[in-house]
């Protein structure tokens, strides 16, 4: 496990200053995030200092905005409301950074019981997890020394890429220092005593709904599907509001935390359902050659996508295998116009290209490949060179018990 980096002197002074100063800093952070979102022409709800005004994610309200109160089992009452369970971190209530010597703090998006929490526990077994209500908050938590690392999903074997996090990787200056591949084992959850024939809807993260669509149909559960921010948040929402007509798609751990029963186990459409997470830090790690490494880059060219073939040839010539290629709109220049006096104006969409390849930046072949890529591109950035996840394959194992 990587040791936590010591806070910078300015951060240490912030931690010792009054809470009013810290809240002012958070307010500045929030305003910067909002202005940055608006500059990219993305619709952003107003952000203020209260939890009730946390913006929606994926078009849905976060668990914090719904004022959800987690529940857990007890001997006297199986559903006892807990007023002090850890809630997701939001822009308005970021706490000061941990002092030197504290346990490694790892930010993730979601609430306790989320698959991202399990991934954080796999990446850093002895860590203190920090739930965040948005992906953006997890990035900012690391940048502000509130967390030492962030563990965030980037792709799923069934649902594909998580585009939001690819955009945030480019916007922020964090470095990828590792990866975790987590088998995803979905369950259909409901309140105790609820039978499947009484259900009228199922809620989950959009990826969770997509990954179980065929299985739900085979089970005859053809009721309404509704998307929420995360899988565990769906379980929390049902428990807090005593919804006896609603089921959630989430993990078995979420059922345990929020006092729900498992109506169906393993409802993902494919047993090979794996989500890949990346581990983010403020500083990069030193690449090595004594174990398999992966390197992630992003590049663009001001003359469009015609350069892509040349870039890929730089890797093929050196026998470097690509494991991922992803294109995303270039927000700084979304359209390139080419005027032709004879036929008119051609409009070309401009893209950023994300590529993962199996080589360490400590290897000469990787250095030479990127030197060649740089000749063909107008923009090139190494997001990280990091160890590959080489853990044994066990698709049925997705449980996680925090320390």
């Amino acid at each position: 496990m990587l040791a936590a980096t010591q806070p910078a002197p300015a951060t240490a002074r912030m931690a010792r200053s009054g809470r009013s100063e810290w809240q002012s800093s958070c307010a500045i952070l929030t305003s910067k995030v909002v202005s940055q979102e608006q500059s990219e022409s993305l619709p952003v709800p107003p952000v203020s200092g209260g939890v009730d005004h946390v913006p929606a994610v994926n078009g849905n309200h976060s668990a914090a905005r719904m004022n959800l109160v987690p529940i857990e089992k007890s001997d006297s009452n199986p559903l006892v409301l807990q007023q002090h369970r850890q809630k997701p971190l939001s822009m308005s209530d970021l706490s000061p950074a941990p002092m030197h010597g504290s346990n490694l703090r790892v930010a993730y998006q979601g609430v306790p019981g989320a698959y991202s929490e399990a991934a954080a526990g796999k990446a850093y077994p002895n860590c203190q997890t920090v739930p965040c209500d948005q992906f953006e908050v997890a990035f900012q938590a690391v940048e502000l020394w509130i967390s030492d690392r962030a563990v965030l999903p980037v792709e799923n074997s069934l649902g594909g890429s998580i585009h939001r996090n690819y955009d945030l990787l480019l916007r922020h200056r964090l470095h990828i220092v590792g990866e975790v591949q987590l088998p995803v084992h979905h369950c259909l959850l409901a309140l105790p005593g609820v039978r499947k024939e009484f259900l009228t809807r199922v809620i989950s993260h959009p990826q969770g709904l997509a990954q179980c669509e065929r299985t739900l149909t085979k089970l005859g559960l053809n009721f309404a599907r509704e998307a929420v921010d995360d899988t565990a948040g769906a379980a929390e929402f049902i428990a807090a509001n005593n919804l006896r007509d609603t089921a959630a798609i989430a993990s078995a751990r979420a059922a345990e935390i929020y006092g729900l029963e498992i109506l169906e186990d393993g409802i993902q459409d494919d047993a090979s359902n794996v989500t890949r997470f990346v581990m983010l830090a403020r500083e990069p790690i030193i690449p090595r050659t004594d174990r398999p490494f992966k390197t992630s880059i992003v590049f663009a060219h001001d003359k469009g996508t015609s350069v892509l073939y040349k870039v890929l040839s730089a890797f093929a010539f050196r026998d470097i295998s690509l494991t991922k290629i992803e294109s995303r709109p270039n927000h700084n220049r979304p359209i390139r116009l080419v005027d032709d006096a004879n036929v008119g104006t051609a409009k070309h969409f401009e893209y950023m290209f994300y590529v993962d390849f199996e080589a360490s930046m400590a290897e000469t072949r990787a250095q030479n490949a990127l030197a060649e890529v740089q000749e063909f591109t107008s923009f090139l950035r190494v997001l990280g060179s990091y160890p590959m996840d080489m853990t044994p394959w066990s698709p049925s194992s997705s449980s996680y018990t925090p320390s």
Side-chain angles (χ1 to χ4, degrees), residues 38-248:
Q38 290 173 341
S39 68
E40 296 183 1
S41 302
L42 295 176
V44 178
V47 180
S48 63
V51 174
D52 290 339
H53 299 283
V54 175
V57 181
N58 295 328
N60 303 284
H61 295 305
S62 65
R65 184 166 182 177
M66 290 189 288
N67 295 320
L68 304 182
V69 182
I71 66 173
E72 67 176 24
K73 297 179 181 179
S74 70
D75 295 336
S76 59
N77 188 347
L79 302 177
V80 179
L81 295 180
Q82 301 294 318
Q83 298 294 336
H84 303 291
R85 186 180 298 281
Q86 191 179 23
K87 68 181 182 65
L89 191 69
S90 67
M91 287 291 188
S92 60
D93 60 1
L94 298 174
S95 59
M99 300 302 292
H100 178 64
S102 299
N103 292 333
L104 196 68
R105 302 186 69 185
V106 180
Y108 69 93
Q109 187 275 329
V111 297
Y115 293 107
S116 292
E117 183 195 32
K122 180 180 178 181
Y124 302 103
N126 298 316
C127 71
Q128 176 186 353
T129 55
V130 181
C132 303
D133 64 349
Q134 304 173 57
F135 291 129
E136 177 87 27
V137 177
F139 275 86
Q140 296 285 2
V142 178
E143 291 176 329
L144 286 177
W145 297 77
I146 296 157
S147 293
D148 305 291
R149 303 285 187 274
V151 175
L152 298 172
V154 290
E155 59 180 328
N156 176 267
S157 57
L158 299 181
S161 299
I162 291 85
H163 294 142
R164 175 63 173 165
N165 283 335
Y166 276 98
D167 294 339
L168 291 173
L169 282 171
L170 182 62
R171 179 183 305 169
H172 294 269
R173 300 300 300 183
L174 298 182
H175 303 268
I176 302 177
V177 297
E179 67 172 3
V180 172
Q181 296 182 0
L182 185 78
V184 177
H185 191 83
H186 287 309
C187 302
L188 186 68
L189 313 179
L191 288 172
V194 172
R195 296 164 58 181
K196 285 184 291 186
E197 51 264 34
F198 297 150
L199 298 174
T200 60
R201 65 171 177 166
V202 60
I203 61 176
S204 188
H205 186 274
Q207 288 261 351
L209 293 172
Q211 293 164 17
C212 302
E213 181 64 32
R214 294 201 308 269
T215 303
L216 292 176
T217 301
K218 289 179 181 179
L219 293 172
L221 304 178
N222 299 314
F223 35 65
R225 276 80 152 153
E226 294 183 16
V228 295
D229 288 347
D230 63 270
T231 55
E236 183 188 40
F237 182 59
I238 290 174
N241 292 276
N242 196 32
L243 302 177
R244 305 192 66 81
D245 63 343
T246 304

